[in-house]
Amino acid sequence: ATFNFVRSLSTSAISRGIIRPPTQFYGVDGRYATALYSAAIKSKNLETVEQDILKLRDTLAKDVKLNQFCKDPTIKRHIKIRAFTDVLEKLKFTSQATNMLD
């Protein structure tokens, strides 16, 4: 009798059910991007989530005050989270994009 064992770590993509994006990114940014991509694919909202991220990019480029607010290190984190959540609600983001950005 031959036994085939597959070694898998608890953090492997298979055990977490992560769907790999077509382009692999690394570091903290890459983990967030991969998680968002995986969530969008599973919920069949990839195009909508992409539009949300592009909308956020354009909003931050146009709204100088919001951009400065996001980058200001003197503003406490809980204040930024509350304000940013309000902005995402006004922009009518999908739940996947909102969860990633909270």
Side-chain angles (χ1 to χ4, degrees):
T2 304
F3 295 101
N4 292 325
F5 292 102
V6 176
R7 181 178 176 196
S8 67
L9 302 174
S10 63
T11 59
S12 71
I14 294 170
S15 66
R16 291 182 304 189
I18 298 289
I19 297 169
R20 294 283 176 206
T23 303
Q24 188 66 42
F25 297 100
Y26 299 95
V28 175
D29 297 342
R31 283 189 293 224
Y32 276 99
T34 300
L36 180 60
Y37 178 83
S38 180
I41 288 289
K42 287 178 184 178
S43 66
K44 297 178 173 61
N45 280 339
L46 183 61
E47 290 81 19
T48 308
V49 171
E50 179 185 17
Q51 302 233 337
D52 286 349
I53 298 301
L54 294 174
K55 190 185 327 179
L56 178 62
R57 181 194 65 187
D58 295 343
T59 301
L60 288 171
K62 291 177 189 173
D63 192 337
V64 177
K65 286 184 180 182
L66 178 61
N67 195 336
Q68 289 174 347
F69 175 80
C70 291
K71 293 179 180 179
D72 188 347
T74 62
I75 300 173
K76 296 189 183 216
R77 186 171 186 259
H78 71 276
I79 295 172
K80 282 186 179 182
I81 290 172
R82 193 175 326 132
F84 208 67
T85 301
D86 292 343
V87 168
L88 297 178
E89 285 177 11
K90 288 179 184 174
L91 293 173
K92 297 181 180 168
F93 270 38
T94 59
S95 61
Q96 289 85 12
T98 302
N99 289 338
M100 194 238 0
L101 295 168
D102 273 350

